[in-house]
Amino acid sequence: GADRRLALAGLGLSRVAISRIVSSVGLATIAAAAAFVTLEIRGNVTHPWHAAVAILAFAWLYLAVGVLVGSIVTDPLEGSLIVVFIFILDVFSGPGMSSAAAPWSISRKAADVLISAGLGRPSSASDWVGLGLTTIGALVAAFTVFVLSARRRS
């Protein structure tokens, strides 16, 4: 595709990969900012910074899911359906739909922080640590698979 042509035109594989990573994180951050502004306009959030961090974590977690799936699955339709399936499993097994989130719920800690922010309760330290570890771990895993799959395809 276009990435291969850019690399062959002189940009190199690493520069193309880094630009894709930076642009993906940037777009996810812009989407999270738009979601946060919408939440602030529509509702009264007691802890806005907590909500902003939780929304950003949701965006980056699903960015990681998309990168992981896109790095492994080559067909765009199949990849899109897998990401939607993962989202549905996550949403319907998370704390918003059940009394306790399932262990495979990838956004459980982000949801806990967001729900606490909306209800005006402080988030526990374990929620923040779990949220940070989950988000950073997901991004590192996703971009590692991305780099490895890019090397394999080149």
Side-chain angles (χ1 to χ4, degrees), residues 66-128:
V67 169
L68 276 170
V69 171
S71 297
I72 297 169
V73 178
T74 56
D75 185 77
L77 178 61
E78 291 173 1
S80 299
L81 291 174
I82 290 170
V83 170
V84 169
F85 180 70
I86 291 169
F87 173 75
I88 289 171
L89 280 178
D90 187 38
V91 167
F92 288 105
S93 67
M97 292 292 193
S98 61
S99 60
W104 61 81
S105 177
I106 59 173
S107 65
R108 175 174 60 194
K109 291 299 179 184
D112 290 343
V113 171
L114 185 60
I115 290 169
S116 294
L119 296 175
R121 294 184 295 193
S123 300
S124 67
S126 67
D127 284 345
W128 287 106

Side-chain angles (χ1 to χ4, degrees), residues 31-46:
F36 175 70
V37 168
T38 303
L39 180 66
E40 277 294 306
I41 290 171
R42 300 282 302 168
N44 184 19
V45 179
T46 309

Side-chain angles (χ1 to χ4, degrees), residues 1-84:
D3 290 343
R4 176 165 283 154
R5 290 190 299 269
L6 286 170
L8 291 174
L11 278 177
L13 290 175
S14 60
R15 289 175 75 189
V16 171
I18 289 170
S19 66
R20 286 191 79 183
I21 290 169
V22 169
S23 64
S24 297
V25 171
L27 287 171
T29 303
I30 290 170
F36 175 70
V37 168
T38 303
L39 180 66
E40 277 294 306
I41 290 171
R42 300 282 302 168
N44 184 19
V45 179
T46 309
H47 298 291
W49 289 109
H50 295 188
V53 170
I55 292 169
L56 184 62
F58 274 113
W60 287 352
L61 284 168
Y62 278 99
L63 169 65
V65 168
V67 169
L68 276 170
V69 171
S71 297
I72 297 169
V73 178
T74 56
D75 185 77
L77 178 61
E78 291 173 1
S80 299
L81 291 174
I82 290 170
V83 170
V84 169

Side-chain angles (χ1 to χ4, degrees), residues 110-153:
D112 290 343
V113 171
L114 185 60
I115 290 169
S116 294
L119 296 175
R121 294 184 295 193
S123 300
S124 67
S126 67
D127 284 345
W128 287 106
V129 170
L131 177 60
L133 290 175
T134 303
T135 304
I136 291 169
L139 287 172
V140 167
F143 291 123
T144 301
V145 170
F146 173 75
V147 168
L148 293 175
S149 69
R151 285 185 180 167
R152 187 183 69 227
R153 292 180 188 166

